[in-house]
Amino acid sequence: MRDPFNREIRSLGISITPHCNLKCFYCHREGHNCNSNSLMTPEEIGKIVKSTLKFGVKKIKISGGEPLLRPDLVDIIENISDIRIKDISLTTNGILLENYAEKLKNAGLNRVNVSMDTIDPVKYKNITYCGDIKIVKAGIERALDVGLTPLKINYLAMKNTIEDLDPLMDYCRDIDAILQIIEFIPLNENLKKYYVDITTIENEIAKKSDKVITRKLMQNRKKYYVDGLEVEFVRPMDNTEFCNNCTRIRLTYDGFLKPCLLREDNLIDVISPLRDGKNIDDLIYKAILNREPYFKGK
Ligand code: SAM
């Protein structure tokens, strides 16, 4: 199905918990900060996912909070798995990945994105408040061993992490991971001082790259190859292209469909009707009709 702006719906992002074991000072928590503790069960998540498949969803991204904090994550993935889904991925801080990786792979998870803004242990601890980079690296190695690939490292470009980019590129090249450079969304006035326009970084990488691919199905994002390393950019801020080519709807951990990452005022409750035994197809339809680009251009 296409929304009123002719954007096809292909992907569903699911936040499965608001809780996290790190305290990154900048975190947007996937744009949903309601205090409800009513988490969806694995079966409920599975049912909602199956309903979205009728509208064209083919890719599922699981996030949070920290998704690995859910003890029933394997069950969640088993409930999501469906022959019609081409890709199930998980975004994690990697702290609990080492022990979980194999079970997740066996349950049907295809790949992981691991968030890592620096490889400097002291700085990593400062940014995340309490994280140990050694544990994250062990998790990444295990994920690579069991085939949760292609594995992407999510690096958030901020004023205080720019100097960490080169060492992170070397690390990704060494372990054969893709580096995803994400533009920082400042959530409040105090955080604006960390904002960096990643166009400058993209131009630098473009100059160094041996090959460039434009990903038509991924918001026309470019993929660069620098000495064997794949580098991608995610640039949501003031980016009409990002919005014009957005194919993702989202599901909050407490069971609301969220048509746009950057808005909280048009959520649609699907969990209450589902718990009342009602069909939720018309609500999914309504959420898709409610979609509009956040950055529309001038
Ligand atoms: N806990 C998991 C993790 O650390 O990857 C999943 C949740 S986290 C919110 C998902 C991604 O959002 C991370 O890669 C993180 O870097 C990114 N993120 C968090 N806050 C952000 C912000 N203010 N601007 C842009 N990206 C942000």
Side-chain angles (χ1 to χ4, degrees):
M1 177 175 168
R2 288 177 181 268
D3 70 14
F5 295 82
N6 202 27
R7 298 175 301 176
E8 199 180 333
I9 304 307
R10 280 197 292 269
S11 153
L12 175 70
I14 313 173
S15 170
I16 57 170
T17 175
H19 304 297
C20 194
N21 43 359
L22 297 181
K23 292 193 176 67
C24 304
F25 69 93
Y26 53 73
C27 189
H28 62 24
R29 294 159 186 265
E30 299 295 348
H32 185 55
N33 286 310
C34 145
N35 291 321
S36 159
N37 277 323
S38 148
L39 297 183
M40 297 176 290
T41 65
E43 293 74 23
E44 288 168 347
I45 294 173
K47 281 185 189 159
I48 298 171
V49 167
K50 301 281 144 80
S51 297
T52 66
L53 301 186
K54 298 175 203 157
F55 296 86
V57 165
K58 292 172 193 68
K59 288 170 71 172
I60 307 289
K61 176 168 286 296
I62 302 167
S63 184
E66 174 47 43
L68 293 182
L69 282 179
R70 282 221 29 186
D72 52 1
L73 180 55
V74 166
D75 207 4
I76 292 176
I77 292 171
E78 283 171 352
N79 272 275
I80 290 175
S81 284
D82 186 293
I83 188 97
R84 291 165 290 175
I85 299 176
K86 304 260 179 302
D87 182 50
I88 306 177
S89 65
L90 175 93
T91 304
T92 172
N93 58 34
I95 298 282
L96 298 172
L97 189 55
E98 191 178 6
N99 287 333
Y100 242 138
E102 191 166 13
K103 291 179 208 130
L104 297 177
K105 178 73 185 172
N106 292 339
L109 184 70
N110 298 112
R111 58 188 183 87
V112 285
N113 286 11
V114 182
S115 303
M116 193 191 253
D117 305 326
T118 174
I119 52 163
D120 181 298
V122 175
K123 208 162 163 188
Y124 183 80
K125 189 162 232 153
N126 284 338
I127 289 177
T128 59
Y129 190 66
C130 49
D132 182 344
I133 196 90
K134 270 206 295 240
I135 294 178
V136 179
K137 284 183 170 174
I140 290 172
E141 271 173 38
R142 189 76 192 115
L144 290 166
D145 279 351
V146 302
L148 287 170
T149 52
L151 186 146
K152 293 187 189 179
I153 299 293
N154 279 2
Y155 156 81
L156 201 52
M158 296 178 288
K159 281 263 160 59
N160 59 334
T161 59
I162 286 296
E163 65 194 17
D164 300 289
L165 179 56
D166 281 345
L168 204 51
M169 285 177 74
D170 292 339
Y171 170 70
C172 289
R173 192 178 285 111
D174 282 352
I175 62 167
D176 203 14
I178 297 172
L179 178 63
Q180 185 157 247
I181 300 182
I182 304 176
E183 186 170 62
F184 177 51
I185 305 172
L187 296 178
N188 57 47
E189 280 300 315
N190 290 339
L191 290 175
K192 280 193 174 152
K193 59 176 180 277
Y194 295 102
Y195 176 77
V196 175
D197 180 348
I198 61 172
T199 317
T200 323
I201 304 176
E202 186 161 357
N203 291 341
E204 285 299 312
I205 299 273
K207 270 191 229 156
K208 290 187 206 157
S209 65
D210 343 288
K211 190 168 95 179
V212 185
I213 291 177
T214 302
R215 302 157 77 208
K216 288 249 156 28
L217 293 181
M218 283 295 289
Q219 295 152 324
N220 280 339
R221 293 184 201 167
K222 291 198 169 67
K223 192 191 265 267
Y224 300 90
Y225 293 80
V226 187
D227 294 334
L229 169 69
E230 274 183 56
V231 185
E232 300 175 359
F233 287 82
V234 182
R235 205 161 65 78
M237 285 302 283
D238 287 319
N239 186 351
T240 49
E241 182 102 3
F242 180 88
C243 290
N244 287 341
N245 295 291
C246 172
T247 60
R248 180 172 293 168
I249 50 170
R250 291 160 194 274
L251 180 62
T252 65
Y253 58 83
D254 48 356
F256 287 73
L257 281 174
K258 191 172 190 297
C260 173
L261 166 69
L262 297 168
R263 280 179 64 176
E264 276 243 69
D265 61 347
N266 59 355
L267 307 191
I268 292 182
D269 180 6
V270 284
I271 199 72
S272 310
L274 189 82
R275 285 177 182 160
D276 290 341
K278 295 189 182 128
N279 185 302
I280 58 165
D281 289 358
D282 55 337
L283 294 169
I284 299 171
Y285 184 72
K286 189 171 159 199
I288 295 172
L289 287 185
N290 274 357
R291 275 167 50 86
E292 58 176 312
Y294 188 82
F295 296 113
K296 293 199 187 72
K298 308 251 158 33

